[in-house]
Amino acid sequence: MSDWVAIFIAALMVISAIFAVEWRDLLAAVVGMAAVSLFASIAFFFLQAPDVAMVEAAIGAALSAAVFIFAIKRTERYESEEEGTGWWVRW
Amino acid sequence: MIEVYLILIALAVVLSMYRFFRGPTTADRIVAVDIMTTLTTGLMVLFALYYRRAIFLDVALVYAVLAFLGVITFARYMEGGL
């Protein structure tokens, strides 16, 4: 059972990481990062390191997401270049 | 008996991952992550019962507080405040 739970958590974390990189909306990317941190915390917890899991939850779920949200608020939310807007956009 | 509950919670996490991937708006993804954190807190309590160690309950307590803080931050940004 232990191997299958570890494989399950790792698969969810890998899929979340791929989507966090792929999304163009930066707020959705921060949500994906929060999901990766969530599954990392579960992985640490499952590997019987509860102190590391607690610190990972504190850093990843609250602090890191809040800092990224502040950065998105000060800059812009979407990645700028869009596909197929016109020939004069891309040189 | 605890394994059955663990499998059911893992199935619920997978079903909320579907909304996390296919959600048309960002708010759907935020709600999906919120559901996953709540399910995960229950999963941690079940793991504490499975391994019979009371120290694992503290992690679930800290995680329940901090997941609320993260979702509040996302919601404040979507509202336009912050």
Side-chain angles (χ1 to χ4, degrees), chain A residues 1 8 15-16 23 25 27 31 38 42 45 48 50 57-58 69 72 77, chain B residues 6 14 17 21 26 29-30 33 40 47 51 53 56 59 63 66 77-78 82:
Chain A
M1 175 195 162
F8 176 70
I15 294 169
S16 301
W23 279 330
D25 188 0
L27 188 64
V31 176
L38 166 75
I42 297 298
F45 186 84
Q48 307 213 7
I69 287 294
I72 288 174
R77 179 175 165 178
Chain B
L6 289 176
V14 169
M17 284 293 273
F21 293 143
T26 307
R29 297 187 172 113
I30 293 172
V33 168
T40 296
F47 268 125
Y51 288 116
R53 294 181 65 181
F56 285 177
V59 185
Y63 205 78
L66 289 173
Y77 175 75
M78 298 279 291
L82 204 72

PDB file of all heavy atoms in Angstrom, chain A residues 1 8 15-16 23 25 27 31 38 42 45 48 50 57-58 69 72 77, chain B residues 6 14 17 21 26 29-30 33 40 47 51 53 56 59 63 66 77-78 82:
ATOM      1  N   MET A   1       0.820  -1.198   0.000  1.00  0.00           N
ATOM      2  CA  MET A   1       0.000   0.000   0.000  1.00  0.00           C
ATOM      3  C   MET A   1       0.858   1.255   0.000  1.00  0.00           C
ATOM      4  O   MET A   1       0.566   2.231  -0.667  1.00  0.00           O
ATOM      5  CB  MET A   1      -0.890  -0.012   1.244  1.00  0.00           C
ATOM      6  CG  MET A   1      -1.709   1.264   1.393  1.00  0.00           C
ATOM      7  SD  MET A   1      -2.411   1.428   3.021  1.00  0.00           S
ATOM      8  CE  MET A   1      -2.776   3.171   3.008  1.00  0.00           C
ATOM      9  N   PHE A   8       1.054   7.754  -6.137  1.00  0.00           N
ATOM     10  CA  PHE A   8      -0.137   8.590  -6.337  1.00  0.00           C
ATOM     11  C   PHE A   8       0.166  10.056  -6.024  1.00  0.00           C
ATOM     12  O   PHE A   8      -0.128  10.961  -6.830  1.00  0.00           O
ATOM     13  CB  PHE A   8      -1.241   8.050  -5.442  1.00  0.00           C
ATOM     14  CG  PHE A   8      -2.505   8.833  -5.452  1.00  0.00           C
ATOM     15  CD1 PHE A   8      -3.330   8.840  -6.558  1.00  0.00           C
ATOM     16  CD2 PHE A   8      -2.872   9.574  -4.341  1.00  0.00           C
ATOM     17  CE1 PHE A   8      -4.498   9.562  -6.556  1.00  0.00           C
ATOM     18  CE2 PHE A   8      -4.035  10.292  -4.334  1.00  0.00           C
ATOM     19  CZ  PHE A   8      -4.845  10.289  -5.444  1.00  0.00           C
ATOM     20  N   ILE A  15       1.819  16.395 -12.226  1.00  0.00           N
ATOM     21  CA  ILE A  15       0.790  16.948 -13.125  1.00  0.00           C
ATOM     22  C   ILE A  15       0.482  18.398 -12.746  1.00  0.00           C
ATOM     23  O   ILE A  15       0.365  19.278 -13.613  1.00  0.00           O
ATOM     24  CB  ILE A  15      -0.470  16.063 -13.061  1.00  0.00           C
ATOM     25  CG1 ILE A  15      -0.173  14.685 -13.641  1.00  0.00           C
ATOM     26  CG2 ILE A  15      -1.601  16.674 -13.845  1.00  0.00           C
ATOM     27  CD1 ILE A  15      -1.258  13.691 -13.385  1.00  0.00           C
ATOM     28  N   SER A  16       0.404  18.690 -11.460  1.00  0.00           N
ATOM     29  CA  SER A  16       0.157  20.066 -11.015  1.00  0.00           C
ATOM     30  C   SER A  16       1.301  20.993 -11.413  1.00  0.00           C
ATOM     31  O   SER A  16       1.066  22.141 -11.810  1.00  0.00           O
ATOM     32  CB  SER A  16      -0.030  20.104  -9.510  1.00  0.00           C
ATOM     33  OG  SER A  16      -1.096  19.305  -9.131  1.00  0.00           O
ATOM     34  N   TRP A  23       0.115  27.348 -17.742  1.00  0.00           N
ATOM     35  CA  TRP A  23      -0.965  28.320 -17.785  1.00  0.00           C
ATOM     36  C   TRP A  23      -0.461  29.721 -18.046  1.00  0.00           C
ATOM     37  O   TRP A  23       0.549  30.145 -17.499  1.00  0.00           O
ATOM     38  CB  TRP A  23      -1.737  28.290 -16.475  1.00  0.00           C
ATOM     39  CG  TRP A  23      -2.729  27.189 -16.405  1.00  0.00           C
ATOM     40  CD1 TRP A  23      -3.388  26.635 -17.451  1.00  0.00           C
ATOM     41  CD2 TRP A  23      -3.156  26.487 -15.248  1.00  0.00           C
ATOM     42  NE1 TRP A  23      -4.213  25.634 -16.997  1.00  0.00           N
ATOM     43  CE2 TRP A  23      -4.098  25.532 -15.671  1.00  0.00           C
ATOM     44  CE3 TRP A  23      -2.850  26.593 -13.897  1.00  0.00           C
ATOM     45  CZ2 TRP A  23      -4.725  24.671 -14.778  1.00  0.00           C
ATOM     46  CZ3 TRP A  23      -3.476  25.741 -13.021  1.00  0.00           C
ATOM     47  CH2 TRP A  23      -4.398  24.786 -13.462  1.00  0.00           C
ATOM     48  N   ASP A  25      -2.406  32.532 -17.543  1.00  0.00           N
ATOM     49  CA  ASP A  25      -2.908  33.393 -16.478  1.00  0.00           C
ATOM     50  C   ASP A  25      -2.027  33.193 -15.240  1.00  0.00           C
ATOM     51  O   ASP A  25      -1.901  32.099 -14.724  1.00  0.00           O
ATOM     52  CB  ASP A  25      -4.359  33.011 -16.175  1.00  0.00           C
ATOM     53  CG  ASP A  25      -5.010  33.988 -15.218  1.00  0.00           C
ATOM     54  OD1 ASP A  25      -4.333  34.947 -14.804  1.00  0.00           O
ATOM     55  OD2 ASP A  25      -6.182  33.797 -14.887  1.00  0.00           O
ATOM     56  N   LEU A  27      -2.340  34.274 -12.214  1.00  0.00           N
ATOM     57  CA  LEU A  27      -3.051  33.947 -10.973  1.00  0.00           C
ATOM     58  C   LEU A  27      -3.342  32.444 -10.904  1.00  0.00           C
ATOM     59  O   LEU A  27      -3.190  31.822  -9.852  1.00  0.00           O
ATOM     60  CB  LEU A  27      -4.344  34.751 -10.899  1.00  0.00           C
ATOM     61  CG  LEU A  27      -5.101  34.660  -9.591  1.00  0.00           C
ATOM     62  CD1 LEU A  27      -4.277  35.237  -8.470  1.00  0.00           C
ATOM     63  CD2 LEU A  27      -6.414  35.386  -9.687  1.00  0.00           C
ATOM     64  N   VAL A  31      -2.064  29.537  -8.277  1.00  0.00           N
ATOM     65  CA  VAL A  31      -2.916  28.476  -7.707  1.00  0.00           C
ATOM     66  C   VAL A  31      -2.283  27.105  -7.941  1.00  0.00           C
ATOM     67  O   VAL A  31      -2.281  26.242  -7.056  1.00  0.00           O
ATOM     68  CB  VAL A  31      -4.333  28.564  -8.317  1.00  0.00           C
ATOM     69  CG1 VAL A  31      -5.189  27.426  -7.824  1.00  0.00           C
ATOM     70  CG2 VAL A  31      -4.979  29.865  -7.935  1.00  0.00           C
ATOM     71  N   LEU A  38       0.976  21.995  -1.728  1.00  0.00           N
ATOM     72  CA  LEU A  38       0.077  21.117  -0.979  1.00  0.00           C
ATOM     73  C   LEU A  38       0.504  19.664  -1.085  1.00  0.00           C
ATOM     74  O   LEU A  38       0.635  18.956  -0.074  1.00  0.00           O
ATOM     75  CB  LEU A  38      -1.343  21.295  -1.517  1.00  0.00           C
ATOM     76  CG  LEU A  38      -2.401  20.275  -1.143  1.00  0.00           C
ATOM     77  CD1 LEU A  38      -2.819  20.491   0.280  1.00  0.00           C
ATOM     78  CD2 LEU A  38      -3.578  20.388  -2.058  1.00  0.00           C
ATOM     79  N   ILE A  42       2.017  16.958   1.640  1.00  0.00           N
ATOM     80  CA  ILE A  42       1.494  15.601   1.864  1.00  0.00           C
ATOM     81  C   ILE A  42       2.602  14.559   1.720  1.00  0.00           C
ATOM     82  O   ILE A  42       2.669  13.589   2.472  1.00  0.00           O
ATOM     83  CB  ILE A  42       0.356  15.308   0.872  1.00  0.00           C
ATOM     84  CG1 ILE A  42      -0.789  16.255   1.123  1.00  0.00           C
ATOM     85  CG2 ILE A  42      -0.160  13.903   1.034  1.00  0.00           C
ATOM     86  CD1 ILE A  42      -1.366  16.090   2.475  1.00  0.00           C
ATOM     87  N   PHE A  45       4.682  14.625   4.729  1.00  0.00           N
ATOM     88  CA  PHE A  45       3.923  14.035   5.830  1.00  0.00           C
ATOM     89  C   PHE A  45       3.904  12.514   5.719  1.00  0.00           C
ATOM     90  O   PHE A  45       4.035  11.801   6.710  1.00  0.00           O
ATOM     91  CB  PHE A  45       2.504  14.589   5.814  1.00  0.00           C
ATOM     92  CG  PHE A  45       1.672  14.160   6.966  1.00  0.00           C
ATOM     93  CD1 PHE A  45       1.745  14.840   8.156  1.00  0.00           C
ATOM     94  CD2 PHE A  45       0.821  13.093   6.855  1.00  0.00           C
ATOM     95  CE1 PHE A  45       0.978  14.458   9.226  1.00  0.00           C
ATOM     96  CE2 PHE A  45       0.055  12.697   7.923  1.00  0.00           C
ATOM     97  CZ  PHE A  45       0.136  13.383   9.110  1.00  0.00           C
ATOM     98  N   GLN A  48       6.873  10.609   6.883  1.00  0.00           N
ATOM     99  CA  GLN A  48       7.018  10.670   8.327  1.00  0.00           C
ATOM    100  C   GLN A  48       8.015  11.718   8.773  1.00  0.00           C
ATOM    101  O   GLN A  48       8.884  11.463   9.593  1.00  0.00           O
ATOM    102  CB  GLN A  48       7.397   9.298   8.886  1.00  0.00           C
ATOM    103  CG  GLN A  48       6.439   8.246   8.412  1.00  0.00           C
ATOM    104  CD  GLN A  48       6.236   7.158   9.426  1.00  0.00           C
ATOM    105  OE1 GLN A  48       6.715   7.261  10.527  1.00  0.00           O
ATOM    106  NE2 GLN A  48       5.491   6.139   9.051  1.00  0.00           N
ATOM    107  N   PRO A  50       6.966  15.148  10.097  1.00  0.00           N
ATOM    108  CA  PRO A  50       5.864  16.104  10.325  1.00  0.00           C
ATOM    109  C   PRO A  50       6.327  17.541  10.515  1.00  0.00           C
ATOM    110  O   PRO A  50       5.585  18.465  10.171  1.00  0.00           O
ATOM    111  CB  PRO A  50       5.192  15.568  11.589  1.00  0.00           C
ATOM    112  CG  PRO A  50       6.203  14.741  12.252  1.00  0.00           C
ATOM    113  CD  PRO A  50       7.082  14.177  11.191  1.00  0.00           C
ATOM    114  N   ALA A  57       3.959  23.642   4.731  1.00  0.00           N
ATOM    115  CA  ALA A  57       2.594  24.176   4.682  1.00  0.00           C
ATOM    116  C   ALA A  57       2.586  25.663   4.997  1.00  0.00           C
ATOM    117  O   ALA A  57       1.889  26.442   4.358  1.00  0.00           O
ATOM    118  CB  ALA A  57       1.703  23.416   5.671  1.00  0.00           C
ATOM    119  N   ALA A  58       3.402  26.077   5.982  1.00  0.00           N
ATOM    120  CA  ALA A  58       3.433  27.493   6.355  1.00  0.00           C
ATOM    121  C   ALA A  58       4.018  28.339   5.245  1.00  0.00           C
ATOM    122  O   ALA A  58       3.486  29.399   4.906  1.00  0.00           O
ATOM    123  CB  ALA A  58       4.241  27.665   7.642  1.00  0.00           C
ATOM    124  N   ILE A  69       1.020  36.948  -4.944  1.00  0.00           N
ATOM    125  CA  ILE A  69      -0.177  37.752  -5.187  1.00  0.00           C
ATOM    126  C   ILE A  69       0.156  39.240  -5.113  1.00  0.00           C
ATOM    127  O   ILE A  69      -0.299  40.036  -5.944  1.00  0.00           O
ATOM    128  CB  ILE A  69      -1.282  37.359  -4.187  1.00  0.00           C
ATOM    129  CG1 ILE A  69      -1.845  36.006  -4.549  1.00  0.00           C
ATOM    130  CG2 ILE A  69      -2.402  38.371  -4.179  1.00  0.00           C
ATOM    131  CD1 ILE A  69      -2.573  35.979  -5.848  1.00  0.00           C
ATOM    132  N   ILE A  72       1.896  40.107  -8.370  1.00  0.00           N
ATOM    133  CA  ILE A  72       0.965  40.185  -9.504  1.00  0.00           C
ATOM    134  C   ILE A  72       0.136  41.458  -9.415  1.00  0.00           C
ATOM    135  O   ILE A  72      -0.141  42.118 -10.420  1.00  0.00           O
ATOM    136  CB  ILE A  72       0.078  38.924  -9.536  1.00  0.00           C
ATOM    137  CG1 ILE A  72       0.906  37.734  -9.977  1.00  0.00           C
ATOM    138  CG2 ILE A  72      -1.078  39.084 -10.492  1.00  0.00           C
ATOM    139  CD1 ILE A  72       0.157  36.448  -9.892  1.00  0.00           C
ATOM    140  N   ARG A  77      -1.361  40.791 -14.725  1.00  0.00           N
ATOM    141  CA  ARG A  77      -1.848  39.451 -14.446  1.00  0.00           C
ATOM    142  C   ARG A  77      -1.603  38.470 -15.586  1.00  0.00           C
ATOM    143  O   ARG A  77      -1.268  37.320 -15.351  1.00  0.00           O
ATOM    144  CB  ARG A  77      -3.335  39.529 -14.125  1.00  0.00           C
ATOM    145  CG  ARG A  77      -3.955  38.184 -13.839  1.00  0.00           C
ATOM    146  CD  ARG A  77      -5.386  38.329 -13.408  1.00  0.00           C
ATOM    147  NE  ARG A  77      -6.067  37.051 -13.469  1.00  0.00           N
ATOM    148  CZ  ARG A  77      -7.320  36.873 -13.107  1.00  0.00           C
ATOM    149  NH1 ARG A  77      -8.020  37.888 -12.650  1.00  0.00           N
ATOM    150  NH2 ARG A  77      -7.893  35.699 -13.199  1.00  0.00           N
TER     151      ARG A  77
ATOM    152  N   LEU B   6      -9.061   6.030   3.450  1.00  0.00           N
ATOM    153  CA  LEU B   6      -7.951   6.680   2.725  1.00  0.00           C
ATOM    154  C   LEU B   6      -8.182   6.631   1.225  1.00  0.00           C
ATOM    155  O   LEU B   6      -7.968   7.613   0.512  1.00  0.00           O
ATOM    156  CB  LEU B   6      -6.627   5.998   3.078  1.00  0.00           C
ATOM    157  CG  LEU B   6      -6.090   6.223   4.490  1.00  0.00           C
ATOM    158  CD1 LEU B   6      -4.847   5.405   4.716  1.00  0.00           C
ATOM    159  CD2 LEU B   6      -5.784   7.690   4.697  1.00  0.00           C
ATOM    160  N   VAL B  14      -8.882  13.172  -6.458  1.00  0.00           N
ATOM    161  CA  VAL B  14      -8.788  13.032  -7.919  1.00  0.00           C
ATOM    162  C   VAL B  14      -9.967  13.731  -8.604  1.00  0.00           C
ATOM    163  O   VAL B  14      -9.796  14.422  -9.610  1.00  0.00           O
ATOM    164  CB  VAL B  14      -8.726  11.539  -8.298  1.00  0.00           C
ATOM    165  CG1 VAL B  14      -8.905  11.358  -9.789  1.00  0.00           C
ATOM    166  CG2 VAL B  14      -7.402  10.969  -7.884  1.00  0.00           C
ATOM    167  N   MET B  17      -9.346  17.310  -8.563  1.00  0.00           N
ATOM    168  CA  MET B  17      -8.280  17.654  -9.514  1.00  0.00           C
ATOM    169  C   MET B  17      -8.841  17.851 -10.922  1.00  0.00           C
ATOM    170  O   MET B  17      -8.278  18.600 -11.711  1.00  0.00           O
ATOM    171  CB  MET B  17      -7.223  16.548  -9.559  1.00  0.00           C
ATOM    172  CG  MET B  17      -6.283  16.534  -8.386  1.00  0.00           C
ATOM    173  SD  MET B  17      -5.217  17.945  -8.314  1.00  0.00           S
ATOM    174  CE  MET B  17      -3.884  17.380  -9.328  1.00  0.00           C
ATOM    175  N   PHE B  21      -8.077  21.139 -13.214  1.00  0.00           N
ATOM    176  CA  PHE B  21      -7.468  21.195 -14.537  1.00  0.00           C
ATOM    177  C   PHE B  21      -8.396  21.816 -15.570  1.00  0.00           C
ATOM    178  O   PHE B  21      -7.979  22.604 -16.396  1.00  0.00           O
ATOM    179  CB  PHE B  21      -7.066  19.794 -15.007  1.00  0.00           C
ATOM    180  CG  PHE B  21      -5.980  19.202 -14.203  1.00  0.00           C
ATOM    181  CD1 PHE B  21      -5.971  17.863 -13.924  1.00  0.00           C
ATOM    182  CD2 PHE B  21      -4.962  20.000 -13.706  1.00  0.00           C
ATOM    183  CE1 PHE B  21      -4.960  17.316 -13.169  1.00  0.00           C
ATOM    184  CE2 PHE B  21      -3.955  19.458 -12.954  1.00  0.00           C
ATOM    185  CZ  PHE B  21      -3.959  18.113 -12.693  1.00  0.00           C
ATOM    186  N   THR B  26     -10.429  31.199 -13.239  1.00  0.00           N
ATOM    187  CA  THR B  26      -9.455  30.999 -12.168  1.00  0.00           C
ATOM    188  C   THR B  26     -10.146  30.724 -10.837  1.00  0.00           C
ATOM    189  O   THR B  26      -9.591  30.041  -9.981  1.00  0.00           O
ATOM    190  CB  THR B  26      -8.563  32.230 -12.071  1.00  0.00           C
ATOM    191  OG1 THR B  26      -8.025  32.478 -13.365  1.00  0.00           O
ATOM    192  CG2 THR B  26      -7.408  32.011 -11.134  1.00  0.00           C
ATOM    193  N   ARG B  29     -10.504  27.155 -10.084  1.00  0.00           N
ATOM    194  CA  ARG B  29      -9.258  26.512  -9.631  1.00  0.00           C
ATOM    195  C   ARG B  29      -8.977  26.843  -8.180  1.00  0.00           C
ATOM    196  O   ARG B  29      -8.478  25.992  -7.426  1.00  0.00           O
ATOM    197  CB  ARG B  29      -8.117  26.951 -10.536  1.00  0.00           C
ATOM    198  CG  ARG B  29      -8.341  26.502 -11.964  1.00  0.00           C
ATOM    199  CD  ARG B  29      -7.162  26.767 -12.833  1.00  0.00           C
ATOM    200  NE  ARG B  29      -7.397  26.142 -14.124  1.00  0.00           N
ATOM    201  CZ  ARG B  29      -7.562  26.819 -15.251  1.00  0.00           C
ATOM    202  NH1 ARG B  29      -7.502  28.133 -15.244  1.00  0.00           N
ATOM    203  NH2 ARG B  29      -7.780  26.189 -16.378  1.00  0.00           N
ATOM    204  N   ILE B  30      -9.288  28.074  -7.777  1.00  0.00           N
ATOM    205  CA  ILE B  30      -9.072  28.454  -6.370  1.00  0.00           C
ATOM    206  C   ILE B  30      -9.964  27.622  -5.451  1.00  0.00           C
ATOM    207  O   ILE B  30      -9.524  27.110  -4.419  1.00  0.00           O
ATOM    208  CB  ILE B  30      -9.332  29.962  -6.183  1.00  0.00           C
ATOM    209  CG1 ILE B  30      -8.261  30.762  -6.925  1.00  0.00           C
ATOM    210  CG2 ILE B  30      -9.299  30.335  -4.720  1.00  0.00           C
ATOM    211  CD1 ILE B  30      -8.556  32.232  -6.961  1.00  0.00           C
ATOM    212  N   VAL B  33      -8.608  24.094  -5.230  1.00  0.00           N
ATOM    213  CA  VAL B  33      -7.469  23.978  -4.312  1.00  0.00           C
ATOM    214  C   VAL B  33      -7.941  24.062  -2.863  1.00  0.00           C
ATOM    215  O   VAL B  33      -7.417  23.358  -1.990  1.00  0.00           O
ATOM    216  CB  VAL B  33      -6.422  25.058  -4.650  1.00  0.00           C
ATOM    217  CG1 VAL B  33      -5.380  25.177  -3.563  1.00  0.00           C
ATOM    218  CG2 VAL B  33      -5.731  24.712  -5.935  1.00  0.00           C
ATOM    219  N   THR B  40      -7.209  17.248   2.385  1.00  0.00           N
ATOM    220  CA  THR B  40      -5.874  16.878   2.833  1.00  0.00           C
ATOM    221  C   THR B  40      -5.759  16.935   4.350  1.00  0.00           C
ATOM    222  O   THR B  40      -5.067  16.111   4.957  1.00  0.00           O
ATOM    223  CB  THR B  40      -4.879  17.822   2.167  1.00  0.00           C
ATOM    224  OG1 THR B  40      -4.938  17.596   0.769  1.00  0.00           O
ATOM    225  CG2 THR B  40      -3.487  17.573   2.631  1.00  0.00           C
ATOM    226  N   PHE B  47      -4.143   9.669   8.626  1.00  0.00           N
ATOM    227  CA  PHE B  47      -2.788   9.101   8.702  1.00  0.00           C
ATOM    228  C   PHE B  47      -2.296   9.045  10.140  1.00  0.00           C
ATOM    229  O   PHE B  47      -1.590   8.097  10.516  1.00  0.00           O
ATOM    230  CB  PHE B  47      -1.811   9.935   7.861  1.00  0.00           C
ATOM    231  CG  PHE B  47      -1.661   9.440   6.466  1.00  0.00           C
ATOM    232  CD1 PHE B  47      -1.871  10.282   5.394  1.00  0.00           C
ATOM    233  CD2 PHE B  47      -1.294   8.129   6.213  1.00  0.00           C
ATOM    234  CE1 PHE B  47      -1.738   9.834   4.103  1.00  0.00           C
ATOM    235  CE2 PHE B  47      -1.152   7.675   4.925  1.00  0.00           C
ATOM    236  CZ  PHE B  47      -1.372   8.531   3.867  1.00  0.00           C
ATOM    237  N   TYR B  51      -1.017   5.568  11.608  1.00  0.00           N
ATOM    238  CA  TYR B  51       0.302   5.301  12.181  1.00  0.00           C
ATOM    239  C   TYR B  51       0.288   5.323  13.699  1.00  0.00           C
ATOM    240  O   TYR B  51       1.319   5.069  14.317  1.00  0.00           O
ATOM    241  CB  TYR B  51       1.316   6.323  11.668  1.00  0.00           C
ATOM    242  CG  TYR B  51       1.674   6.120  10.225  1.00  0.00           C
ATOM    243  CD1 TYR B  51       1.372   7.069   9.276  1.00  0.00           C
ATOM    244  CD2 TYR B  51       2.325   4.958   9.829  1.00  0.00           C
ATOM    245  CE1 TYR B  51       1.704   6.878   7.956  1.00  0.00           C
ATOM    246  CE2 TYR B  51       2.663   4.756   8.517  1.00  0.00           C
ATOM    247  CZ  TYR B  51       2.343   5.719   7.584  1.00  0.00           C
ATOM    248  OH  TYR B  51       2.671   5.510   6.279  1.00  0.00           O
ATOM    249  N   ARG B  53       0.232   7.887  15.859  1.00  0.00           N
ATOM    250  CA  ARG B  53       1.143   8.860  16.455  1.00  0.00           C
ATOM    251  C   ARG B  53       0.401  10.183  16.599  1.00  0.00           C
ATOM    252  O   ARG B  53      -0.123  10.724  15.634  1.00  0.00           O
ATOM    253  CB  ARG B  53       2.392   9.043  15.596  1.00  0.00           C
ATOM    254  CG  ARG B  53       3.236   7.796  15.537  1.00  0.00           C
ATOM    255  CD  ARG B  53       4.464   7.999  14.703  1.00  0.00           C
ATOM    256  NE  ARG B  53       5.364   8.999  15.296  1.00  0.00           N
ATOM    257  CZ  ARG B  53       6.503   9.374  14.740  1.00  0.00           C
ATOM    258  NH1 ARG B  53       6.870   8.834  13.602  1.00  0.00           N
ATOM    259  NH2 ARG B  53       7.259  10.268  15.305  1.00  0.00           N
ATOM    260  N   PHE B  56       1.260  13.781  14.667  1.00  0.00           N
ATOM    261  CA  PHE B  56       0.814  14.106  13.319  1.00  0.00           C
ATOM    262  C   PHE B  56      -0.425  15.004  13.317  1.00  0.00           C
ATOM    263  O   PHE B  56      -0.736  15.610  12.300  1.00  0.00           O
ATOM    264  CB  PHE B  56       0.498  12.838  12.534  1.00  0.00           C
ATOM    265  CG  PHE B  56       1.721  12.095  12.073  1.00  0.00           C
ATOM    266  CD1 PHE B  56       1.593  10.901  11.404  1.00  0.00           C
ATOM    267  CD2 PHE B  56       2.982  12.602  12.297  1.00  0.00           C
ATOM    268  CE1 PHE B  56       2.707  10.221  10.969  1.00  0.00           C
ATOM    269  CE2 PHE B  56       4.102  11.926  11.875  1.00  0.00           C
ATOM    270  CZ  PHE B  56       3.962  10.736  11.210  1.00  0.00           C
ATOM    271  N   VAL B  59       0.260  18.879  12.658  1.00  0.00           N
ATOM    272  CA  VAL B  59       0.434  19.308  11.266  1.00  0.00           C
ATOM    273  C   VAL B  59      -0.912  19.634  10.636  1.00  0.00           C
ATOM    274  O   VAL B  59      -1.062  20.628   9.928  1.00  0.00           O
ATOM    275  CB  VAL B  59       1.162  18.211  10.471  1.00  0.00           C
ATOM    276  CG1 VAL B  59       1.462  18.679   9.082  1.00  0.00           C
ATOM    277  CG2 VAL B  59       2.418  17.803  11.181  1.00  0.00           C
ATOM    278  N   TYR B  63      -2.039  23.253   9.202  1.00  0.00           N
ATOM    279  CA  TYR B  63      -2.418  23.326   7.795  1.00  0.00           C
ATOM    280  C   TYR B  63      -3.828  23.868   7.616  1.00  0.00           C
ATOM    281  O   TYR B  63      -4.095  24.583   6.655  1.00  0.00           O
ATOM    282  CB  TYR B  63      -2.293  21.954   7.147  1.00  0.00           C
ATOM    283  CG  TYR B  63      -2.088  22.059   5.684  1.00  0.00           C
ATOM    284  CD1 TYR B  63      -0.845  22.374   5.184  1.00  0.00           C
ATOM    285  CD2 TYR B  63      -3.126  21.911   4.800  1.00  0.00           C
ATOM    286  CE1 TYR B  63      -0.649  22.533   3.850  1.00  0.00           C
ATOM    287  CE2 TYR B  63      -2.934  22.056   3.466  1.00  0.00           C
ATOM    288  CZ  TYR B  63      -1.696  22.361   3.002  1.00  0.00           C
ATOM    289  OH  TYR B  63      -1.503  22.530   1.683  1.00  0.00           O
ATOM    290  N   LEU B  66      -3.504  27.695   7.896  1.00  0.00           N
ATOM    291  CA  LEU B  66      -2.761  28.384   6.848  1.00  0.00           C
ATOM    292  C   LEU B  66      -3.436  28.288   5.490  1.00  0.00           C
ATOM    293  O   LEU B  66      -3.311  29.189   4.673  1.00  0.00           O
ATOM    294  CB  LEU B  66      -1.350  27.829   6.784  1.00  0.00           C
ATOM    295  CG  LEU B  66      -0.543  28.254   8.004  1.00  0.00           C
ATOM    296  CD1 LEU B  66       0.781  27.571   8.033  1.00  0.00           C
ATOM    297  CD2 LEU B  66      -0.359  29.744   8.018  1.00  0.00           C
ATOM    298  N   TYR B  77      -7.525  39.364  -3.673  1.00  0.00           N
ATOM    299  CA  TYR B  77      -7.029  39.839  -4.959  1.00  0.00           C
ATOM    300  C   TYR B  77      -8.142  39.839  -6.000  1.00  0.00           C
ATOM    301  O   TYR B  77      -8.278  40.785  -6.775  1.00  0.00           O
ATOM    302  CB  TYR B  77      -5.879  38.953  -5.445  1.00  0.00           C
ATOM    303  CG  TYR B  77      -5.428  39.351  -6.822  1.00  0.00           C
ATOM    304  CD1 TYR B  77      -4.673  40.496  -7.003  1.00  0.00           C
ATOM    305  CD2 TYR B  77      -5.787  38.616  -7.933  1.00  0.00           C
ATOM    306  CE1 TYR B  77      -4.270  40.890  -8.254  1.00  0.00           C
ATOM    307  CE2 TYR B  77      -5.389  38.994  -9.188  1.00  0.00           C
ATOM    308  CZ  TYR B  77      -4.629  40.127  -9.339  1.00  0.00           C
ATOM    309  OH  TYR B  77      -4.248  40.520 -10.583  1.00  0.00           O
ATOM    310  N   MET B  78      -8.971  38.798  -6.033  1.00  0.00           N
ATOM    311  CA  MET B  78     -10.040  38.724  -7.027  1.00  0.00           C
ATOM    312  C   MET B  78     -11.085  39.810  -6.801  1.00  0.00           C
ATOM    313  O   MET B  78     -11.703  40.304  -7.737  1.00  0.00           O
ATOM    314  CB  MET B  78     -10.729  37.356  -6.946  1.00  0.00           C
ATOM    315  CG  MET B  78      -9.850  36.188  -7.238  1.00  0.00           C
ATOM    316  SD  MET B  78      -9.614  35.887  -8.963  1.00  0.00           S
ATOM    317  CE  MET B  78     -11.223  35.341  -9.427  1.00  0.00           C
ATOM    318  N   LEU B  82      -6.749  44.523  -1.458  1.00  0.00           N
ATOM    319  CA  LEU B  82      -5.337  44.211  -1.214  1.00  0.00           C
ATOM    320  C   LEU B  82      -4.409  45.395  -1.423  1.00  0.00           C
ATOM    321  O   LEU B  82      -4.099  45.725  -2.539  1.00  0.00           O
ATOM    322  CB  LEU B  82      -4.898  43.036  -2.078  1.00  0.00           C
ATOM    323  CG  LEU B  82      -3.709  42.233  -1.592  1.00  0.00           C
ATOM    324  CD1 LEU B  82      -4.143  41.422  -0.407  1.00  0.00           C
ATOM    325  CD2 LEU B  82      -3.224  41.288  -2.683  1.00  0.00           C
TER     326      LEU B  82
END
